[in-house]
Amino acid sequence: MSSQTNITAFALQDILEGIADGLSDAQRNLRDIAPYDSFGRPNTIYQVPYLEFSLQVTSEFQTVTDDKKQTRSVLKFQPAKLTSSNTSKTEIYSSVSGRFVATVPNEGLPQTIIQVKTATPVLDTGVYKIELEAAVKNSVGEKLPESTVEFNFDEETSLEVNGGVTVTSPTFEIAEVSSDVDGIATTTVNIPQAEFDAGRFYVINVNIGTVNKSVSLSKF
């Protein structure tokens, strides 16, 4: 009597995240090597510059159900078998390959820092106008002129901090601003008076590329 081992199928995202996690753990262990041995001699320190991988897999579409009870088809992968007697489903044999490359954080440049100041709200015909000032510099204190600063309303976080109550999206005088010679970018956000007076929170995201800073606006 023979038995067949069931192999779990994974989405491509799961496979890549698993490889990345393993690579990260390996590099962390390499960095933990003592710099000197018991005789005081320097140890060899290793750094993984890149990792190439190639996986032989079979792929098929499977139906999954999410937390909202909605079903959808996703492409799942399993390790390829040399032989298979299963003729009840169609599988596609393929190769998944790629390379993980080590990169220096922030391309080797000092970390970008965003500081945000908010002015006192000014009521104007049913709308509160609030000036936002973003100061852009790096971790060594250098001001960053001509940087593109984006101002966006964080609807999802605002909904969460307001206990599930939806608020009207605010408008911006300008949503994308270049910082001046002092690394300063300013804009004005307009918030409906009724909702602001009711104590609603408005979460605003200020970002430069992947660097993000959030500020919450509320009357109370």
Side-chain angles (χ1 to χ4, degrees):
M1 183 176 180
S2 63
S3 61
Q4 181 179 0
T5 302
N6 292 324
I7 302 177
T8 303
F10 296 95
L12 183 59
Q13 175 182 340
D14 299 326
I15 296 174
L16 296 180
E17 287 179 351
I19 296 174
D21 288 342
L23 180 59
S24 179
D25 290 341
Q27 183 59 69
R28 189 179 300 110
N29 291 334
L30 292 175
R31 285 199 302 265
D32 289 341
I33 295 175
Y36 300 96
D37 63 16
S38 57
F39 298 100
R41 297 171 301 192
N43 280 327
T44 302
I45 304 300
Y46 298 93
Q47 174 75 29
V48 181
Y50 64 88
L51 171 69
E52 291 183 337
F53 64 91
S54 181
L55 308 173
Q56 298 296 321
V57 296
T58 60
S59 58
E60 62 175 306
F61 282 99
Q62 294 185 4
T63 301
V64 298
T65 304
D66 58 23
D67 295 337
K68 297 180 180 179
K69 307 302 182 183
Q70 297 178 335
T71 59
R72 59 190 178 92
S73 293
V74 296
L75 189 63
K76 290 294 189 75
F77 297 86
Q78 288 184 340
K81 310 178 188 66
L82 294 178
T83 59
S84 175
S85 59
N86 190 344
T87 59
S88 62
K89 61 183 179 181
T90 301
E91 295 179 330
I92 303 172
Y93 285 79
S94 57
S95 176
V96 178
S97 61
R99 171 186 285 194
F100 286 92
V101 180
T103 59
V104 179
N106 203 34
E107 298 181 350
L109 300 175
Q111 181 182 2
T112 301
I113 299 173
I114 306 174
Q115 296 177 325
V116 182
K117 294 182 180 178
T118 62
T120 302
V122 177
L123 183 59
D124 181 14
T125 59
V127 174
Y128 279 102
K129 296 181 177 293
I130 305 175
E131 185 178 87
L132 302 178
E133 177 185 288
V136 187
K137 60 181 181 180
N138 60 29
S139 56
V140 297
E142 297 173 330
K143 299 175 181 178
L144 302 179
E146 299 182 3
S147 297
T148 301
V149 182
E150 297 181 5
F151 298 86
N152 295 287
F153 172 55
D154 189 338
E155 183 176 1
E156 183 176 345
T157 304
S158 297
L159 181 66
E160 182 179 344
V161 298
N162 284 298
V165 177
T166 303
V167 294
T168 303
S169 296
T171 59
F172 296 90
E173 180 181 60
I174 183 170
E176 189 173 283
V177 188
S178 292
S179 58
D180 60 19
V181 292
D182 294 319
I184 302 296
T186 61
T187 191
T188 299
V189 57
N190 304 308
I191 299 176
Q193 177 185 359
E195 295 184 56
F196 198 68
D197 285 341
R200 303 296 181 222
F201 291 89
Y202 286 77
V203 179
I204 307 298
N205 283 335
V206 184
N207 70 279
I208 301 175
T210 59
V211 180
N212 182 77
K213 179 75 173 182
S214 293
V215 58
S216 178
L217 306 178
S218 177
K219 188 171 184 178
F220 305 110

